[in-house]
Amino acid sequence: MWIKKIAAVMLAAFVGFTMTGCNAITIDGEEGSLTAGESGGNGNIGFSVSTLNNPFFVTLSEGAEAKAEEEGVELIVVDAGDDAAKQTSDIEDLISRNISVLIVNPVDSDAVAPAVQDAVSRGIKVISVDRVVNGVEVDCAIASDNVEGARMATEYMVSLVGEGEKTAEIEGVPGASATIDRGEGFHIVADEKLDVVSSQTANFSRSEGMTVMENMLQADSDIKGVFAHNDEMALGAVEAIGNRDIVVVGFDATDDALTAIKEGRMAATVAQKPDLMGETAVDTAIKLINGETVEKEIPVEVELITK
């Protein structure tokens, strides 16, 4: 009988340890450990990224993954494919997997809010990265100054085309905070110094950027400058423009855009640091898991890149 009692006590102690101790985690087959701390959950981090069909967000994700591997934490990355409904489903799935922290890069800053609020209500810490979540108080927001970046880009375009010239704006995904902020920065300058003849969305897509630019040029062949809310759309515009003398400025400083600037096909872009944003997001998530206090907003500097 006393043997059975000792065995029962040992079993209870083992169960208690496994429930309250460190969480075993695996990345690429290697185990590590991380105390769940104040955040609850199983110590894992979920990352809902707007799309992995865009070099900027691939780099953002890679920065996060590299930091997670370095720190030995499990990072679950899910790709929304620029579909707001899928992102909502992805986040609900991450919630069901008992994550401790949700990192979210919204497709649509409004549409994602209910799912993020659900995560918050379940005690999951939330970090927004690159784009904000409207109407929900997150634990930390990590982003570039999109308004300032677009303002700098537009000022540079004015210096090249001259004041009062016809210009066009190719907008990102409607509702995305980056679209809203970059549009705001553009119009701060353009509404005073340029003649904006067209503003149309191309959903941050290179192929759509080309189509939109073709349509803009058919409607008005006197356009002298184009500001695109990201480099993918700017590169699409460059394809549509061909040999015409039109100044094109983008945003994100992707490798293809930097090449286009060196070759003289694009005038400028705004450099963010997506790898640093991803790294910072995971580092901040680990601090939250460990119960540390973090800044509510962490800005990442932007820089105008020209030839």
Side-chain angles (χ1 to χ4, degrees):
M1 178 67 73
W2 61 272
I3 294 176
K4 291 182 178 180
K5 289 182 178 180
I6 291 173
V9 170
M10 291 178 66
L11 176 61
F14 174 76
V15 171
F17 173 78
T18 56
M19 291 181 66
T20 61
C22 294
N23 297 288
I25 51 181
T26 304
I27 293 182
D28 295 333
E30 296 182 8
E31 287 194 349
S33 63
L34 180 71
T35 302
E38 296 295 329
S39 70
N42 58 14
N44 294 342
I45 303 166
F47 184 10
S48 173
V49 64
S50 60
T51 178
L52 290 177
N53 189 31
N54 181 312
F56 178 84
F57 296 112
V58 170
T59 304
L60 176 70
S61 178
E62 288 174 346
E65 290 170 338
K67 185 63 174 179
E69 184 169 5
E70 175 188 331
E71 298 293 337
V73 298
E74 183 167 343
L75 177 70
I76 306 164
V77 179
V78 287
D79 175 13
D82 265 337
D83 184 330
K86 184 178 185 303
Q87 185 161 53
T88 293
S89 177
D90 286 345
I91 291 173
E92 294 296 347
D93 179 63
L94 289 171
I95 291 171
S96 73
R97 296 171 74 168
N98 199 31
I99 58 172
S100 293
V101 180
L102 169 67
I103 301 171
V104 58
N105 162 237
V107 173
D108 184 308
S109 298
D110 291 317
V112 78
V116 172
Q117 183 60 58
D118 189 20
V120 171
S121 68
R122 293 169 186 260
I124 296 170
K125 302 294 184 181
V126 178
I127 299 168
S128 65
V129 62
D130 187 53
R131 302 170 180 171
V132 301
V133 179
N134 290 336
V136 180
E137 184 176 350
V138 300
D139 294 277
C140 180
I142 300 168
S144 302
D145 190 339
N146 285 298
V147 175
E148 175 60 15
R151 188 199 64 76
M152 289 191 301
T154 311
E155 286 282 11
Y156 183 66
M157 185 163 63
V158 172
S159 74
L160 297 179
V161 303
E163 293 194 19
E165 292 292 345
K166 291 185 177 181
T167 56
E169 175 190 20
I170 305 181
E171 302 171 318
V173 173
S177 59
T179 299
I180 295 167
D181 292 345
R182 293 174 192 181
E184 178 184 342
F186 169 74
H187 284 283
I188 286 172
V189 177
D191 289 353
E192 294 293 327
K193 299 182 178 181
L194 295 168
D195 178 12
V196 183
V197 296
S198 182
S199 293
Q200 296 181 38
T201 182
N203 294 302
F204 290 129
S205 162
R206 187 181 302 200
S207 60
E208 290 188 45
M210 182 173 69
T211 301
V212 166
M213 191 72 248
E214 288 172 345
N215 293 337
M216 287 178 168
L217 289 172
Q218 286 178 359
D220 193 328
S221 61
D222 293 329
I223 292 172
K224 299 301 181 184
V226 178
F227 172 63
H229 288 193
N230 80 340
D231 285 338
E232 286 296 285
M233 297 187 298
L235 290 163
V238 166
E239 291 298 318
I241 289 167
N243 295 323
R244 294 180 179 89
D245 186 17
I246 299 175
V247 171
V248 178
V249 178
F251 204 117
D252 287 342
T254 62
D255 289 343
D256 286 352
L258 295 177
T259 298
I261 290 170
K262 289 177 182 177
E263 295 174 349
R265 295 181 291 119
M266 273 179 62
T269 185
V270 178
Q272 301 185 85
K273 299 177 181 177
D275 53 344
L276 179 58
M277 279 196 280
E279 176 185 325
T280 302
V282 170
D283 183 59
T284 304
I286 293 170
K287 289 178 181 178
L288 288 170
I289 289 170
N290 290 332
E292 298 178 34
T293 301
V294 303
E295 295 291 332
K296 294 291 289 184
E297 295 184 3
I298 301 178
V300 179
E301 293 181 357
V302 294
E303 180 184 4
L304 184 68
I305 304 296
T306 66
K307 189 173 183 178

